Amino acid sequence: MGICTSCGAAVCRDCVRVGHNSVPHSTGFSSADLAFTEIRQLACLPCATALSARHAREYGFAPPTLPPVETQ
């Protein structure tokens, strides 16, 4: 179980989407000293879909991993 970092909803391990987000941070005293760090982000399906559609450069979410289907 986890918490969506966008809306705060609880998400189970089957519904959670794991992605990354590039976060800017200062490495010095001027605005030219700016670096980016990728952080892991958990999101529910609606938030992951919206963030990927609206902010494709900043956010990336892996497609859901579904268990293999048993055939007889």
Side-chain angles (χ1 to χ4, degrees):
M1 186 138 182
I3 302 294
C4 176
T5 55
S6 183
C7 71
V11 283
C12 67
R13 69 181 189 145
D14 296 331
C15 298
V16 70
R17 301 297 179 259
V18 179
H20 61 84
N21 181 9
S22 296
V23 178
H25 60 88
S26 177
T27 59
F29 292 107
S30 72
S31 60
D33 299 326
L34 192 63
F36 290 88
T37 301
E38 281 199 8
I39 60 169
R40 190 171 70 163
Q41 181 170 6
L42 303 178
C44 62
L45 181 59
C47 288
T49 303
L51 289 170
S52 294
R54 297 283 186 179
H55 305 284
R57 284 188 186 161
E58 293 89 8
Y59 295 92
F61 289 95
T65 56
L66 299 175
V69 178
E70 294 182 21
T71 58
Q72 294 179 338

